Amino acid sequence: MSKIISVFGATGAQGGSVVEALAKNSQYSIRAITRNPNSDKSIALSKLNNVTVHQANLDEPASIDKVLEGCHGSFLVTDFAAHFDNRETKQGYSFVDSAIKNNLKHIVFSGLEHVEPIIKKPCLHFDYKAQIEDYGLARKDQITFTSIRLPMYYQMIPLMFRHQLEENKFALTLPIGQSSVYSMNVADIGKCVGSIFDMPEKYGNKIIPVAGDKINGKEIENILNKNLAPSRYSYANTNLEQFRSFGFPGVEDIANMFEFFQTDKMQRDINLTRELNKELESFDQWVNKNKQLFI
């Protein structure tokens, strides 16, 4: 009999990757959890083998209990940007409690480290996930809990940091100074999570720090120029104060994240990630396959 795995945030980038990876493994039956089961993305997921779509809301514990009943495990991703407050932490704590109550064997949580003790400023979308990570790992006598710590996504570069100067000429406004930063294709997360569920005796009750590459601004510039000619990219070396002046919602928290990146204290393990996902892509490989995202 297949093991039931519930995947929260199933229509998002992380959750969708996990659903697609687990759906290819016949030992699992997947409950794709979303707030809106009638969305186009939900309907597309429902057509995958071994996948059924269910409605639940992390703010409604009764709905969480309902979709967790009978599950072997669950993948949880929380969304700071949905509220920009500590509701994220409350959701995480409540979820762990519900998973224990419903006798789940394994939670894989999309976690992050504490940043405020390092830069002496809050980075809430990191710090809140770190609190959930602490809460889950502290209950290892009641449930197997794994925190998979992700880096920046490759996808963020064309989405947030590509600014057109003139025809075929672009500036990269990543505020990373001279530091090399860990990054990853978000679509590669699913196979990593699948390996964690496959081998709980190896990866359970641990922090798993993943990444696909570690690159600096000049290396990003060179990779883009190699793959995207005749377009030309230049690393602008935007400083943190300039970045904070951009003024979009949550900019201060994102700026503090990049301040943390510049400390070079983030730890990820590319070799471990390749162990989890044999098809892990470097940034160069990803750009070559996704040129349309830069058009």
Side-chain angles (χ1 to χ4, degrees), residues 5-287:
I5 305 290
S6 54
V7 178
F8 284 73
T11 58
Q14 290 187 42
S17 174
V18 173
V19 170
E20 290 182 15
L22 294 181
K24 296 173 182 175
N25 187 334
S26 61
Q27 72 172 305
Y28 299 121
S29 295
I30 314 306
R31 292 179 184 171
I33 313 302
T34 177
R35 286 174 294 181
N36 181 7
N38 298 313
S39 71
D40 290 344
K41 288 183 178 180
S42 297
I43 292 168
L45 290 176
S46 71
K47 296 177 181 178
L48 296 175
N49 289 335
N50 306 317
V51 176
T52 55
V53 176
H54 301 258
Q55 191 279 331
N57 189 321
L58 287 171
D59 289 322
E60 299 171 1
S63 74
I64 304 305
D65 282 338
K66 183 176 180 181
V67 296
L68 291 185
E69 185 177 359
C71 285
H72 170 83
S74 187
F75 173 75
L76 174 66
V77 56
T78 52
D79 184 7
F80 169 74
H83 311 290
F84 293 103
D85 62 28
N86 70 347
R87 195 180 314 183
E88 179 180 14
T89 306
K90 296 175 182 176
Q91 290 174 342
Y93 291 178
S94 177
F95 177 88
V96 172
D97 292 343
S98 182
I100 292 169
K101 181 172 69 173
N102 283 280
N103 298 309
L104 268 70
K105 302 300 183 186
H106 196 178
I107 296 171
V108 179
F109 172 61
S110 177
L112 291 167
E113 54 264 70
H114 290 277
V115 167
E116 186 170 9
I118 296 170
I119 66 169
K120 310 306 179 187
K121 298 174 186 176
C123 182
L124 297 177
H125 75 285
F126 270 67
D127 296 327
Y128 289 156
K129 289 178 177 64
Q131 291 171 21
I132 298 168
E133 179 183 280
D134 292 344
Y135 189 85
L137 289 170
R139 282 151 183 78
K140 63 183 179 182
D141 59 333
Q142 298 173 276
I143 191 168
T144 300
F145 186 96
T146 303
S147 181
I148 181 168
R149 288 185 177 175
L150 305 178
M152 183 179 78
Y153 306 155
Y154 300 153
Q155 286 83 350
M156 290 178 66
I157 292 175
L159 181 65
M160 292 184 65
F161 305 112
R162 171 183 176 269
H163 292 269
Q164 187 162 6
L165 303 174
E166 55 188 75
E167 186 176 3
N168 289 333
K169 191 173 182 180
F170 300 88
L172 296 167
T173 57
L174 275 163
I176 58 175
Q178 303 306 312
S179 296
S180 295
V181 297
Y182 288 105
S183 53
M184 186 175 185
N185 178 8
V186 68
D188 282 341
I189 292 165
K191 290 181 180 178
C192 295
V193 171
S195 293
I196 292 168
F197 276 124
D198 288 346
M199 292 178 278
E201 69 287 347
K202 185 172 184 178
Y203 300 116
N205 296 321
K206 292 181 179 177
I207 293 168
I208 306 295
V210 297
D213 215 331
K214 187 179 185 184
I215 43 180
N216 61 37
K218 194 66 179 178
E219 289 168 334
I220 294 170
E221 174 189 301
N222 291 339
I223 288 168
L224 295 182
N225 287 332
K226 181 183 82 170
N227 287 285
L228 301 174
S231 294
R232 296 298 298 173
Y233 285 80
S234 58
Y235 174 54
N237 199 12
T238 304
N239 68 45
L240 290 168
E241 293 314 308
Q242 285 175 309
F243 186 79
R244 287 186 171 95
S245 73
F246 292 169
F248 58 83
V251 66
E252 184 68 22
D253 210 62
I254 299 297
N256 289 347
M257 175 187 76
F258 281 109
E259 184 170 342
F260 168 58
F261 287 173
Q262 290 191 31
T263 68
D264 296 321
K265 291 184 177 179
M266 172 182 263
Q267 297 296 318
R268 298 294 185 266
D269 190 333
I270 296 172
N271 289 331
L272 171 61
T273 312
R274 288 198 185 100
E275 179 182 299
L276 295 165
N277 181 353
K278 309 270 187 233
E279 298 175 4
L280 185 70
E281 288 184 341
S282 69
F283 182 63
D284 191 2
Q285 291 171 320
W286 178 81
V287 172

